[in-house]
Amino acid sequence: MEEYAYAARDVTGEVFQGRLEAASQREAAKQLQEQGLFVAELKKISSRRRFHKIFARKPSNVKYVAVFCRQLLIMQNAGLSINDSIQLAAAQEHHPSVRRILLDISEKLQSGSSLQDAMKTHDTFFPHSMIYLIGAGESSGRLEAILEKLAAYHEKAYASREKLKTLMLYPAFLLAVAGIVVVFILQFILPV
Protein backbone atom coordinates (compact mmCIF):
# COMPACT_ATOMS: atom_id res chain seq x y z
CA MET A 1 0.00 0.00 0.00
CA GLU A 2 1.20 3.48 -0.87
CA GLU A 3 0.19 6.72 0.76
CA TYR A 4 -1.25 9.61 -1.24
CA ALA A 5 -1.91 13.24 -0.34
CA TYR A 6 -5.03 14.68 -1.95
CA ALA A 7 -6.92 17.89 -2.47
CA ALA A 8 -10.53 17.40 -3.55
CA ARG A 9 -13.82 19.26 -3.82
CA ASP A 10 -17.34 18.19 -3.06
CA VAL A 11 -20.51 19.12 -4.95
CA THR A 12 -20.79 22.46 -3.12
CA GLY A 13 -17.19 23.37 -4.05
CA GLU A 14 -15.77 23.01 -0.54
CA VAL A 15 -12.10 21.97 -0.59
CA PHE A 16 -10.94 18.95 1.43
CA GLN A 17 -7.34 17.93 1.97
CA GLY A 18 -5.95 14.82 3.54
CA ARG A 19 -4.11 11.56 3.11
CA LEU A 20 -5.17 8.05 2.29
CA GLU A 21 -3.64 4.66 1.61
CA ALA A 22 -4.28 2.76 -1.60
CA ALA A 23 -2.63 0.17 -3.81
CA SER A 24 -2.36 2.60 -6.75
CA GLN A 25 -3.14 6.16 -7.72
CA ARG A 26 -6.23 4.96 -9.62
CA GLU A 27 -7.47 3.13 -6.50
CA ALA A 28 -6.93 6.28 -4.41
CA ALA A 29 -8.97 8.33 -6.89
CA LYS A 30 -11.70 5.69 -6.80
CA GLN A 31 -11.85 5.86 -2.98
CA LEU A 32 -12.28 9.63 -3.12
CA GLN A 33 -15.01 9.35 -5.75
CA GLU A 34 -16.87 6.85 -3.55
CA GLN A 35 -16.89 9.51 -0.82
CA GLY A 36 -18.50 11.97 -3.24
CA LEU A 37 -15.35 14.03 -3.82
CA PHE A 38 -13.88 15.28 -7.10
CA VAL A 39 -10.10 14.98 -7.19
CA ALA A 40 -8.22 18.23 -7.76
CA GLU A 41 -4.75 16.96 -6.85
CA LEU A 42 -3.40 13.54 -5.93
CA LYS A 43 0.28 13.00 -5.11
CA LYS A 44 2.21 9.98 -3.88
CA ILE A 45 4.01 10.69 -0.61
CA SER A 46 7.69 9.79 -0.65
CA SER A 47 9.07 7.20 1.76
CA ARG A 48 11.10 9.89 3.57
CA ARG A 49 7.92 11.79 4.43
CA ARG A 50 6.30 8.53 5.56
CA PHE A 51 9.26 7.96 7.93
CA HIS A 52 8.59 11.34 9.55
CA LYS A 53 4.91 10.46 9.82
CA ILE A 54 5.75 7.51 12.08
CA PHE A 55 6.95 9.89 14.78
CA ALA A 56 4.23 12.50 14.23
CA ARG A 57 1.88 13.06 17.16
CA LYS A 58 -1.51 12.94 15.51
CA PRO A 59 -4.48 10.81 16.49
CA SER A 60 -4.53 7.43 14.83
CA ASN A 61 -7.39 5.49 13.33
CA VAL A 62 -7.25 3.08 16.29
CA LYS A 63 -8.05 5.90 18.69
CA TYR A 64 -10.98 7.10 16.60
CA VAL A 65 -12.40 3.57 16.27
CA ALA A 66 -12.29 3.21 20.07
CA VAL A 67 -14.05 6.55 20.53
CA PHE A 68 -16.61 5.64 17.84
CA CYS A 69 -17.43 2.31 19.55
CA ARG A 70 -17.72 4.02 22.93
CA GLN A 71 -20.00 6.74 21.50
CA LEU A 72 -22.27 4.17 19.84
CA LEU A 73 -22.41 2.14 23.04
CA ILE A 74 -23.41 5.14 25.17
CA MET A 75 -26.06 6.24 22.69
CA GLN A 76 -27.42 2.69 22.38
CA ASN A 77 -27.68 2.43 26.17
CA ALA A 78 -29.52 5.77 26.14
CA GLY A 79 -32.15 4.23 23.86
CA LEU A 80 -31.27 5.91 20.56
CA SER A 81 -31.45 4.02 17.29
CA ILE A 82 -28.26 3.15 15.40
CA ASN A 83 -29.02 5.69 12.69
CA ASP A 84 -29.66 8.49 15.20
CA SER A 85 -26.45 7.54 17.03
CA ILE A 86 -24.38 7.73 13.86
CA GLN A 87 -25.97 11.05 12.85
CA LEU A 88 -25.11 12.49 16.27
CA ALA A 89 -21.54 11.19 15.99
CA ALA A 90 -21.29 12.80 12.53
CA ALA A 91 -22.60 16.11 13.87
CA GLN A 92 -19.93 16.12 16.59
CA GLU A 93 -17.08 15.12 14.27
CA HIS A 94 -14.62 17.87 13.29
CA HIS A 95 -12.68 16.03 10.59
CA PRO A 96 -14.54 16.43 7.26
CA SER A 97 -13.61 13.07 5.73
CA VAL A 98 -14.71 11.17 8.86
CA ARG A 99 -17.94 13.17 8.96
CA ARG A 100 -18.53 12.27 5.31
CA ILE A 101 -18.00 8.56 6.07
CA LEU A 102 -20.45 8.67 8.99
CA LEU A 103 -23.07 10.52 6.93
CA ASP A 104 -22.67 7.96 4.14
CA ILE A 105 -23.22 5.14 6.65
CA SER A 106 -26.30 6.96 7.93
CA GLU A 107 -27.70 7.27 4.38
CA LYS A 108 -27.17 3.57 3.78
CA LEU A 109 -28.93 2.75 7.06
CA GLN A 110 -31.89 4.92 6.05
CA SER A 111 -32.10 3.06 2.74
CA GLY A 112 -32.47 -0.24 4.61
CA SER A 113 -28.92 -1.60 4.82
CA SER A 114 -27.61 -3.22 7.97
CA LEU A 115 -24.85 -1.49 9.92
CA GLN A 116 -22.38 -4.17 8.82
CA ASP A 117 -23.19 -3.67 5.12
CA ALA A 118 -22.99 0.11 5.49
CA MET A 119 -19.59 -0.11 7.19
CA LYS A 120 -18.26 -2.61 4.61
CA THR A 121 -18.19 0.18 2.02
CA HIS A 122 -15.63 1.95 4.21
CA ASP A 123 -13.45 -1.05 5.05
CA THR A 124 -10.30 1.03 4.52
CA PHE A 125 -11.29 3.12 7.53
CA PHE A 126 -12.88 0.54 9.84
CA PRO A 127 -11.02 -2.70 10.65
CA HIS A 128 -12.45 -5.85 9.05
CA SER A 129 -12.70 -7.59 12.42
CA MET A 130 -14.81 -4.74 13.78
CA ILE A 131 -17.17 -4.86 10.79
CA TYR A 132 -17.77 -8.60 11.12
CA LEU A 133 -18.15 -8.48 14.91
CA ILE A 134 -20.74 -5.71 14.56
CA GLY A 135 -22.55 -7.90 12.03
CA ALA A 136 -22.52 -10.78 14.51
CA GLY A 137 -23.82 -8.46 17.23
CA GLU A 138 -26.63 -7.24 14.99
CA SER A 139 -27.75 -10.73 14.04
CA SER A 140 -27.59 -12.04 17.62
CA GLY A 141 -29.17 -8.98 19.23
CA ARG A 142 -26.13 -8.37 21.44
CA LEU A 143 -24.77 -5.28 19.71
CA GLU A 144 -24.22 -3.41 23.00
CA ALA A 145 -22.04 -6.19 24.41
CA ILE A 146 -20.01 -6.34 21.18
CA LEU A 147 -19.57 -2.56 21.17
CA GLU A 148 -18.39 -2.68 24.79
CA LYS A 149 -15.76 -5.31 23.99
CA LEU A 150 -14.67 -3.53 20.79
CA ALA A 151 -14.29 -0.22 22.61
CA ALA A 152 -12.24 -1.84 25.38
CA TYR A 153 -10.07 -3.70 22.87
CA HIS A 154 -9.34 -0.65 20.71
CA GLU A 155 -8.68 1.54 23.76
CA LYS A 156 -6.12 -1.00 24.98
CA ALA A 157 -4.59 -1.28 21.50
CA TYR A 158 -4.23 2.51 21.28
CA ALA A 159 -2.72 2.70 24.78
CA SER A 160 -0.27 -0.10 23.94
CA ARG A 161 0.77 1.61 20.70
CA GLU A 162 1.37 4.92 22.48
CA LYS A 163 3.28 3.17 25.26
CA LEU A 164 5.46 1.39 22.70
CA LYS A 165 6.25 4.68 20.97
CA THR A 166 7.23 6.20 24.31
CA LEU A 167 9.35 3.19 25.25
CA MET A 168 11.20 3.33 21.91
CA LEU A 169 12.33 6.92 22.51
CA TYR A 170 15.02 5.94 25.03
CA PRO A 171 16.71 3.27 22.85
CA ALA A 172 16.54 5.61 19.85
CA PHE A 173 18.19 8.36 21.91
CA LEU A 174 20.93 5.95 23.09
CA LEU A 175 21.53 4.76 19.54
CA ALA A 176 21.85 8.34 18.29
CA VAL A 177 24.31 9.25 21.08
CA ALA A 178 26.34 6.08 20.42
CA GLY A 179 26.48 6.95 16.71
CA ILE A 180 27.69 10.47 17.48
CA VAL A 181 30.36 9.11 19.85
CA VAL A 182 31.59 6.57 17.26
CA VAL A 183 31.79 9.25 14.56
CA PHE A 184 33.65 11.55 16.98
CA ILE A 185 36.16 8.78 17.83
CA LEU A 186 36.71 7.87 14.18
CA GLN A 187 37.10 11.50 13.10
CA PHE A 188 39.16 13.07 15.86
CA ILE A 189 40.77 10.48 18.16
CA LEU A 190 41.88 7.62 15.87
CA PRO A 191 43.62 9.82 13.24
CA VAL A 192 45.77 11.43 15.94
Side-chain angles (χ1 to χ4, degrees):
M1 294 288 258
E2 298 293 333
E3 189 171 13
Y4 295 91
Y6 68 87
R9 296 181 183 273
D10 64 358
V11 179
T12 62
E14 187 178 351
V15 177
F16 297 97
Q17 294 181 339
R19 296 178 180 194
L20 58 90
E21 288 187 5
S24 66
Q25 192 169 10
R26 180 175 288 178
E27 182 67 31
K30 185 178 175 186
Q31 285 181 20
L32 291 171
Q33 287 173 350
E34 286 174 356
Q35 295 178 13
L37 297 173
F38 300 99
V39 179
E41 186 178 355
L42 188 60
K43 292 181 184 176
K44 183 176 173 181
I45 298 174
S46 69
S47 59
R48 185 175 357 142
R49 289 180 71 188
R50 269 191 277 152
F51 179 74
H52 291 294
K53 185 185 172 206
I54 293 171
F55 297 104
R57 284 293 214 200
K58 70 181 215 182
S60 68
N61 196 23
V62 177
K63 181 180 180 184
Y64 178 76
V65 168
V67 170
F68 176 74
C69 290
R70 188 66 65 191
Q71 282 178 333
L72 276 184
L73 175 65
I74 291 169
M75 289 187 252
Q76 286 293 296
N77 288 338
L80 293 173
S81 69
I82 292 284
N83 192 23
D84 292 339
S85 302
I86 290 179
Q87 286 179 348
L88 277 173
Q92 295 172 357
E93 182 56 47
H94 299 294
H95 198 276
S97 63
V98 176
R99 186 180 321 121
R100 185 172 303 281
I101 288 171
L102 293 177
L103 289 175
D104 183 53
I105 290 172
S106 175
E107 288 174 15
K108 285 182 174 47
L109 287 173
Q110 287 175 354
S111 67
S113 295
S114 67
L115 181 59
Q116 178 186 11
D117 293 337
M119 289 174 72
K120 269 186 188 176
T121 58
H122 301 286
D123 61 350
T124 56
F125 185 76
F126 294 107
H128 291 279
S129 59
M130 176 183 172
I131 293 170
Y132 292 114
L133 283 171
I134 284 179
E138 278 183 309
S139 60
S140 68
R142 296 181 39 102
L143 185 59
E144 290 85 9
I146 297 288
L147 286 172
E148 174 78 38
K149 291 184 189 286
L150 280 171
Y153 169 77
H154 286 291
E155 286 166 356
K156 286 180 183 175
Y158 178 73
S160 297
R161 180 177 293 180
E162 291 300 309
K163 194 174 194 178
L164 182 63
K165 283 182 187 176
T166 305
L167 290 173
M168 290 304 292
L169 285 177
Y170 183 67
F173 174 74
L174 287 179
L175 189 61
V177 169
I180 291 170
V181 168
V182 167
V183 167
F184 179 77
I185 290 172
L186 292 175
Q187 278 300 106
F188 298 108
I189 296 177
L190 281 181
V192 174

